[in-house]
Amino acid sequence: MQLGLSVSDSDVSSFTPLVVLELADDTKAEAITWLLNRIRGKQQNGGAELLVDQLLFPAQDGQKSNQNVFVVGSTLQRLLKGAEDVGLFKEFQDGTMRGFTYANRESFKDFYGDGEGFLSDAECQYIIKHELDTLRAKNEEHVPGYPKVKLYPGKSVVRRLQSKGVLVQYFPLHNKEDLKRLSFSWYKKIKLSFQPLDDIRHYFGEGLALYFGFLEYFTFALVPMAFIGIPYYLFDWEDYDKYVLFAVFNLVWSTVFLEVWKRCSATLAYGWGTLSHKKAFEEPRAGFHGALGFNPITGREEPVYPSSKYHLRIYLVSVPFVLLCLYLSFYVMMVYFDMENWAISIYNENPNLATGILLFVPSIIYAVVIEIMNLLYRYAAEFLTNWENHRLESSFQNHLVLKVLVFNFVNCFASLFYIAFVMQDMVLLRQSLATLLITSQILNQVMEAFLPYWLQRRRNKKVHKRMRRMMGDKELPLLEQVQLETEMNTYLGTFDDYLEQFLLFGYVSLFSCVYPLAAVLVVLNNITEVYSDAFKMCHVFKRPFSEPAANIGVWQLAFETMSIISVVTNCALIGLSSQVKAYFPESETQMILIVVAIEHVLLAFKFILAFVIPDVPKHIQVKLAKLEFDSLEALKKRRRALGRLVRCYGSSDMAQLDCE
């Protein structure tokens, strides 16, 4: 069944394709017709009022290709009205950031003529995604052609089709010209400069721009630590008493670093119009299931899952599973120490170059095993969290982050804590930290940059060759672009990127006083990370949908928790130094009490510092307060005008004449 004739760019010249929507190859014709009618239908009739057309791909190697691929676009007027629906904030003529309204569109800065260019591609694609996601079932009892795919009034059509595999994927298209310009200013010119965060936000959205802003900020914040660490490495390498000053600096740095970042992220978010953005009411996740019930908030029918079953799954299955994984992690750690003792014994029996190299082998093997265990656990945690059947996406993400962080923290740092506070072997601690840090960075670069690049390059060559062989000399840039992007990897969000930075922050803040070059290695890693991540986003992954974000979310709490743990760890390391022990030759208990007291003082100082440094800069606080004041004043004027109107039309003819 052909529902469109979009074979080349000229055939879809009636609108700019922004989003690709791919249905399963065997999707029933009546389901396709029903879905397209809903997408094209008027809003007052429950439709999205969007433009949609079909892409017809030629047969590939004698086999029929999937013909159920569609491109979705919109008229400019529909996008502008959609910008008001999703609550986009744009810059007003007076320089403040205000919620966009279609009626006052000409009062916003950079709105000229009919508004062409006022919205970025990322914003347009976000609006289309919102409209598709909010397509609701009306009176349909099931998806046409699929009696078992039940529907009920108010159910999100797209989410239902996704969860049942009818909708394979939908994603925003790359804009070739914008991507080329962004690539050139972002990673093709190797130079020491700030990243083009506004351009990144314009193309990929605020969530991804905030990650790259944090990555850049973290890298620059590490520079003082790196400069101080180099002389420590060169001159005080074996004198561990000197790391006391470095540990104290570490404590102050980790606190100031996070508090200043809050101010930086608030400044960025205000300029991007997301600081005051109200979070939309969360709909149930696509994978959420349960018996049909009534939602007292929305007044709609939707799946309801008993909270008792939900909590039983968490506490009787998920928690024991996590504890079992932690036990396995500890077991692997003890095997590593056995290997370490074996290597040391061989070196002591016959010290030479070969046995000296052998000393590093257990740590390298352990670092590789840690990365493999983290990867396997990540898949298990995702499966388990999905099985818990969380109703909301935010709840799903919070439980997933908690599971992954607990395991990664124990898996990556347990051996270092054991060496530091049980074995109290600072030489081995330094060696293990260096090996873990260097090995994990090398593995991450291979797995995150080189391997995806190589695989994507192979896929691109195959697609180019296949398309040219089938279509000859015909110019089909849109078909070829869609074919390439449908086969690209899907970007799963910034979860893994933040997790990597969280672990690197842990290596620096917890034990860098023992290995001062840790900050130097992390700086070098992050510099390459910027370029590799930028390349991946532009050429390896499908373009992700833009998501408004005012901060880095739950990761801010994760970094702050790590900072608190670093205070305890560094104070304990200070207490273990021979210089401190020399002050208490006869009373170890007194030393411990004093170290604990100092730790509490430093924690108090940390919290005071966090309280003193405001999260939002003063000038932005003033702008937000002014905006709130203007909104209240406008509301008062509207109420007074309405009251005056009511009095005039409810009074005598003479009074109505006076009103006029």
Side-chain angles (χ1 to χ4, degrees):
M1 180 184 65
Q2 295 185 6
L3 300 173
L5 298 171
S6 300
V7 181
S8 68
D9 282 343
S10 60
D11 294 319
V12 289
S13 58
S14 56
F15 69 90
T16 301
L18 293 171
V19 173
V20 175
L21 191 149
E22 181 182 3
L23 301 175
D25 188 31
D26 58 351
T27 304
K28 301 293 178 63
E30 51 264 49
I32 297 175
T33 304
W34 169 74
L35 177 62
L36 296 187
N37 288 337
R38 293 299 306 276
I39 294 174
R40 292 169 174 150
K42 298 293 184 181
Q43 282 186 288
Q44 57 266 32
N45 298 327
E49 210 168 322
L50 299 174
L51 305 174
V52 59
D53 212 342
Q54 186 179 22
L55 288 176
L56 299 179
F57 292 97
Q60 300 178 6
D61 300 326
Q63 296 181 353
K64 187 178 179 181
S65 60
N66 186 4
Q67 299 300 311
N68 297 328
V69 179
F70 304 87
V71 287
V72 183
S74 176
T75 62
L76 180 58
Q77 184 184 38
R78 178 72 184 88
L79 289 172
L80 292 173
K81 291 181 177 178
E84 180 176 352
D85 294 337
V86 300
L88 283 187
F89 272 63
K90 305 292 283 186
E91 188 175 358
F92 211 62
Q93 293 288 6
D94 60 2
T96 60
M97 303 299 295
R98 305 193 180 207
F100 178 78
T101 56
Y102 184 76
N104 296 326
R105 58 191 181 278
E106 295 182 357
S107 300
F108 285 84
K109 188 178 179 182
D110 298 327
F111 191 99
Y112 305 109
D114 59 357
E116 187 73 32
F118 179 69
L119 298 174
S120 67
D121 269 1
E123 290 170 335
C124 294
Q125 290 164 339
Y126 171 68
I127 292 167
I128 289 179
K129 180 180 184 295
H130 174 267
E131 298 300 335
L132 290 175
D133 286 343
T134 51
L135 274 178
R136 305 286 176 191
K138 297 184 292 185
N139 299 319
E140 303 95 336
E141 295 182 356
H142 59 83
V143 174
Y146 296 89
K148 294 183 179 180
V149 183
K150 301 296 183 183
L151 289 174
Y152 43 86
K155 175 68 178 178
S156 172
V157 170
V158 168
R159 290 174 183 268
R160 188 62 169 167
L161 294 176
Q162 270 188 303
S163 64
K164 294 301 179 180
V166 179
L167 176 60
V168 177
Q169 61 178 338
Y170 70 117
F171 59 90
L173 269 175
H174 277 293
N175 183 305
K176 292 181 180 179
E177 292 301 319
D178 289 348
L179 185 62
K180 186 176 180 180
R181 285 192 293 268
L182 176 61
S183 300
F184 183 76
S185 63
W186 194 4
Y187 71 88
K188 285 190 175 180
K189 293 192 300 182
I190 300 179
K191 55 183 176 136
L192 291 175
S193 64
F194 294 104
Q195 295 181 82
L197 294 181
D198 287 330
D199 294 338
I200 298 171
R201 174 251 172 179
H202 189 272
Y203 192 82
F204 288 110
E206 293 81 15
L208 202 64
L210 271 177
Y211 161 70
F212 281 100
F214 177 80
L215 178 60
E216 177 181 85
Y217 172 80
F218 183 29
T219 306
F220 278 103
L222 282 168
V223 171
M225 290 280 288
F227 274 120
I228 295 175
I230 291 174
Y232 263 81
Y233 173 78
L234 294 175
F235 304 114
D236 297 324
W237 182 241
E238 298 298 337
D239 188 357
Y240 291 104
D241 295 335
K242 297 294 192 300
Y243 66 56
V244 174
L245 291 176
F246 195 87
V248 172
F249 176 78
N250 201 344
L251 298 177
V252 177
W253 171 84
S254 63
T255 302
V256 174
F257 156 70
L258 292 172
E259 291 305 315
V260 175
W261 163 249
K262 287 182 185 178
R263 295 170 59 84
C264 292
S265 64
T267 302
L268 289 173
Y270 179 80
W272 296 338
T274 56
L275 189 61
S276 302
H277 185 86
K278 290 183 172 62
K279 193 172 182 180
F281 179 78
E282 279 195 89
E283 298 290 342
R285 293 175 57 245
F288 177 68
H289 58 85
L292 196 62
F294 180 77
N295 187 324
I297 298 174
T298 62
R300 296 196 298 257
E301 284 187 307
E302 64 179 44
V304 175
Y305 192 74
S307 60
S308 57
K309 289 185 178 180
Y310 164 75
H311 288 104
L312 284 175
R313 288 190 175 194
I314 292 177
Y315 295 114
L316 295 185
V317 179
S318 296
V319 172
F321 174 79
V322 173
L323 293 176
L324 176 63
C325 291
L326 294 180
Y327 171 78
L328 292 175
S329 178
F330 280 114
Y331 181 80
V332 171
M333 180 186 74
M334 299 313 296
V335 172
Y336 156 67
F337 285 125
D338 289 339
M339 293 173 59
E340 198 70 64
N341 292 331
W342 170 76
I344 292 173
S345 64
I346 292 179
Y347 177 78
N348 291 335
E349 290 177 4
N350 184 21
N352 55 50
L353 179 61
T355 55
I357 295 174
L358 184 63
L359 289 174
F360 293 93
V361 172
S363 296
I364 294 174
I365 294 175
Y366 183 54
V368 174
V369 171
I370 283 177
E371 293 299 319
I372 294 173
M373 290 177 66
N374 285 342
L375 185 62
L376 294 176
Y377 178 82
R378 170 67 188 277
Y379 289 123
E382 285 184 352
F383 173 81
L384 201 60
T385 310
N386 192 58
W387 176 77
E388 289 168 1
N389 198 26
H390 295 272
R391 178 179 175 273
L392 301 178
E393 183 66 29
S394 59
S395 175
F396 175 88
Q397 290 297 330
N398 289 338
H399 280 78
L400 178 61
V401 168
L402 182 60
K403 288 187 185 72
V404 173
L405 284 187
V406 169
F407 181 80
N408 277 259
F409 181 84
V410 172
N411 202 32
C412 293
F413 300 118
S415 62
L416 300 178
F417 279 100
Y418 187 87
I419 295 170
F421 302 117
V422 178
M423 300 174 64
Q424 297 187 14
D425 187 341
M426 296 303 166
V427 176
L428 181 59
L429 178 61
R430 178 192 70 193
Q431 175 190 316
S432 299
L433 176 60
T435 307
L436 286 174
L437 188 56
I438 294 172
T439 306
S440 65
Q441 289 179 350
I442 293 173
L443 289 175
N444 282 331
Q445 290 299 329
V446 171
M447 297 299 294
E448 293 184 6
F450 297 110
L451 185 60
Y453 167 71
W454 179 72
L455 292 174
Q456 186 59 43
R457 191 172 181 180
R458 286 189 62 190
R459 281 196 293 263
N460 289 356
K461 286 183 177 179
K462 288 181 179 179
V463 171
H464 282 302
K465 186 177 180 180
R466 187 168 64 242
M467 294 293 291
R468 296 305 173 192
R469 186 174 63 249
M470 291 184 300
M471 303 307 298
D473 297 329
K474 294 180 181 179
E475 289 293 330
L476 297 170
L478 178 62
L479 275 182
E480 191 171 356
Q481 180 186 355
V482 172
Q483 185 72 37
L484 282 171
E485 293 188 27
T486 52
E487 297 186 17
M488 284 181 171
N489 295 326
T490 300
Y491 182 65
L492 300 177
T494 55
F495 184 98
D496 290 319
D497 299 313
Y498 278 120
L499 178 61
E500 181 183 352
Q501 296 304 310
F502 171 79
L503 295 176
L504 293 176
F505 177 70
Y507 285 123
V508 172
S509 61
L510 294 175
F511 300 106
S512 66
C513 59
V514 179
Y515 183 59
L517 279 187
V520 178
L521 293 175
V522 174
V523 167
L524 295 176
N525 174 82
N526 282 2
I527 291 174
T528 59
E529 189 81 14
V530 168
Y531 289 100
S532 63
D533 284 353
F535 176 82
K536 284 190 306 180
M537 295 310 306
C538 292
H539 297 289
V540 174
F541 291 117
K542 294 183 182 73
R543 184 179 183 178
F545 280 106
S546 168
E547 286 294 338
N551 48 55
I552 61 175
V554 70
W555 291 103
Q556 181 74 35
L557 178 60
F559 279 91
E560 289 175 354
T561 303
M562 179 70 82
S563 178
I564 293 172
I565 297 173
S566 73
V567 172
V568 180
T569 304
N570 282 276
C571 286
L573 287 172
I574 292 171
L576 290 175
S577 69
S578 57
Q579 186 179 23
V580 173
K581 289 181 178 180
Y583 288 105
F584 307 94
E586 298 179 355
S587 177
E588 186 175 347
T589 304
Q590 185 181 3
M591 181 203 70
I592 294 174
L593 291 174
I594 291 176
V595 169
V596 171
I598 292 173
E599 171 211 307
H600 281 62
V601 170
L602 288 172
L603 282 174
F605 172 73
K606 175 182 175 62
F607 290 124
I608 291 171
L609 197 62
F611 177 77
V612 169
I613 301 176
D615 294 347
V616 180
K618 185 67 176 178
H619 69 282
I620 293 180
Q621 291 182 24
V622 171
K623 289 181 179 180
L624 292 175
K626 181 179 182 300
L627 180 60
E628 185 177 359
F629 174 78
D630 290 345
S631 299
L632 290 173
E633 288 297 306
L635 183 60
K636 289 178 182 177
K637 289 180 180 178
R638 192 178 299 113
R639 285 177 177 174
R640 284 197 295 266
L642 182 61
R644 183 169 177 268
L645 190 64
V646 170
R647 287 194 304 271
C648 286
Y649 283 92
S651 58
S652 63
D653 294 342
M654 186 61 69
Q656 290 183 23
L657 186 62
D658 291 339
C659 289
E660 294 175 0

